[in-house]
């Protein structure tokens, strides 16, 4: 399809560029699947753009790349999960900064390695894999993964995959970023935040609005990032980092400060015209109080 052909070349080129620039880190990952990032500074609870309090690690597997709190084995809590789908021709490396940002906030991010994620098969397999590792006494993830709180996200074709996977009863919320058209949101039964780019010429905002308009059976929000094109989220995620983090903190961690960004009369994104060119909340989203996700 045209949207797939248009997306494949630039994402593949970006992945190759990032791989080359990673140098020794990428080579190390091939022999030792765990690559530890530098320890981040703690961030205020309401600054969702800032790096979170957790040092992070990366594990590259055959099907899934995991981004997670480095000391998860010694954590005093269970960590919610975000499953991720790449854009056409892409790989988790393309979205590494966003994945590490979420991991620093306390999430276990399971990014499907496939460049063709639309069916969501690898994303579901990621949940199965984490379920097994959470039950394995020999795993660093043993009893540290919160499998009762799982979100699905992805970009472009992966955004469509997040909608597809949203019908899985294990998923608690979806956050499709500039989702491609090959999905049916009617089967989703959980809250949704649908993100578009104002200047996206591959997945036009109208296509994302169509998903939002069809999602009248669930609490759904539409956010159009001012000035963003289809590739703003890759590499440095820029304006996508804060709202995606806040959404998952609200939906998967019960963070009330984060929830106030989306719900209630004081809805933070509703008044932030510097970041958003259009924000919409359907009637079910309007009925959600600010104090609860």
């Amino acid at each position: 399809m045209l949207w797939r052909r248009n997306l494949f070349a630039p994402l593949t080129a970006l992945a190759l560029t990032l791989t080359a620039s990673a140098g020794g880190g990428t080579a190390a990952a091939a022999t030792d699947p765990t690559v530890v990032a530098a320890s981040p500074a703690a961030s205020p609870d309401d600054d969702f753009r800032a790096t979170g309090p957790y040092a992070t690690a990366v594990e590259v597997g055959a099907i899934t790349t995991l981004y997670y709190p480095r000391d998860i084995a010694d954590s005093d809590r269970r960590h919610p999960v975000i499953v991720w789908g790449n854009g056409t021709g892409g790989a988790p490396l393309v979205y590494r900064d966003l994945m590490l940002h979420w991991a620093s906030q306390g999430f276990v991010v399971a990014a499907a390695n496939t460049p063709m994620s639309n069916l969501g098969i690898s994303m579901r397999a990621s949940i199965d894999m984490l379920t097994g590792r959470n039950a394995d006494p020999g795993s660093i993830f043993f009893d540290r993964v919160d499998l009762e709180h799982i979100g699905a996200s992805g970009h472009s074709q992966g955004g469509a995959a997040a909608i597809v996977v949203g019908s899985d009863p294990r998923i608690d919320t979806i956050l499709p970023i500039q989702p491609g058209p090959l999905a049916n949101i009617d089967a989703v039964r959980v809250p949704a935040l649908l993100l578009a780019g104002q200047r996206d010429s591959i997945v036009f905002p109208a296509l994302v609005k169509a998903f939002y308009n069809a999602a009248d059976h669930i609490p759904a929000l539409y956010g159009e990032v001012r000035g963003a094109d289809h590739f703003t989220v890759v590499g440095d995620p820029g304006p996508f980092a804060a709202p995606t983090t806040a959404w998952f903190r609200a939906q998967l961690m019960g963070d009330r400060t984060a929830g106030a960004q989306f719900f209630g009369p004081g809805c933070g994104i509703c008044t932030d015209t510097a970041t958003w060119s259009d924000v919409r909340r359907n009637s079910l989203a309007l009925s959600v109080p600010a104090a609860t996700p």
Side-chain angles (χ1 to χ4, degrees):
M1 290 194 171
L2 180 60
W3 72 276
R4 290 184 174 179
R5 293 199 299 271
N6 286 344
L7 183 54
F8 180 83
L11 272 183
T12 302
L14 180 57
L16 291 173
T17 300
L18 289 174
T19 301
S21 66
T26 302
T31 56
D32 179 357
T34 303
V35 182
V36 179
S39 298
S43 63
D45 289 342
D46 60 349
D47 186 359
F48 304 110
R49 295 169 299 178
T51 302
Y54 293 93
T56 57
V58 182
E59 179 184 314
V60 182
I63 296 175
T64 304
T65 297
L66 295 175
Y67 302 83
Y68 58 94
R70 183 185 66 191
D71 299 323
I72 192 168
D74 300 317
S75 179
D76 61 357
R77 54 170 293 192
R78 293 183 179 89
H79 294 265
V81 176
I82 301 170
V83 293
W84 172 266
N86 306 304
T88 305
L93 179 63
V94 173
Y95 306 97
R96 180 177 185 272
D97 287 358
L98 182 59
M99 307 295 101
L100 287 173
H101 183 75
W102 288 342
S104 80
Q105 293 280 340
F107 296 98
V108 175
V109 184
N113 291 336
T114 176
M116 303 296 286
S117 59
N118 209 138
L119 296 178
I121 296 170
S122 295
M123 294 167 73
R124 289 188 172 98
S126 298
I127 303 175
D128 296 338
M129 179 268 292
L130 281 173
T131 300
R133 296 187 69 175
N134 185 63
D136 178 4
S139 169
I140 63 169
F141 296 98
F142 177 59
D143 200 30
R144 295 298 89 194
V145 183
D146 183 359
L147 295 167
E148 297 301 315
H149 295 92
I150 303 176
S153 187
H155 174 234
S156 196
Q157 184 180 158
I163 297 173
V164 171
V165 173
S167 64
D168 190 306
R170 297 172 294 183
I171 297 296
D172 296 289
T173 187
I174 63 170
L175 198 167
I177 301 172
Q178 297 161 301
L182 302 181
N184 181 1
I185 205 165
D186 290 345
V188 176
R189 291 293 180 268
V190 295
L193 172 61
L194 296 136
L195 297 184
Q198 183 186 24
R199 296 180 181 173
D200 192 339
S201 59
I202 294 176
V203 175
F204 297 107
L207 296 175
V208 185
K209 286 177 187 173
F211 280 125
Y212 166 77
N213 290 334
D216 56 1
H217 58 293
I218 56 175
L221 293 82
Y222 169 83
E224 185 177 290
V225 179
R226 185 175 296 281
D229 62 26
H230 196 67
F231 300 102
T232 298
V233 71
V234 303
D236 179 352
F240 288 91
T244 58
T245 300
W247 180 261
F248 282 129
R249 286 189 64 90
Q251 294 294 317
L252 303 180
M253 293 181 174
D255 185 328
R256 294 187 177 190
T257 300
Q261 292 294 307
F262 308 100
F263 302 111
C267 166
I269 68 169
C270 299
T271 57
D272 181 7
T273 56
T275 302
W276 306 97
S277 51
D278 191 0
V279 172
R280 305 181 185 196
R281 299 186 291 171
N282 70 9
S283 59
L284 292 176
L286 287 170
S287 69
V288 177
T292 57

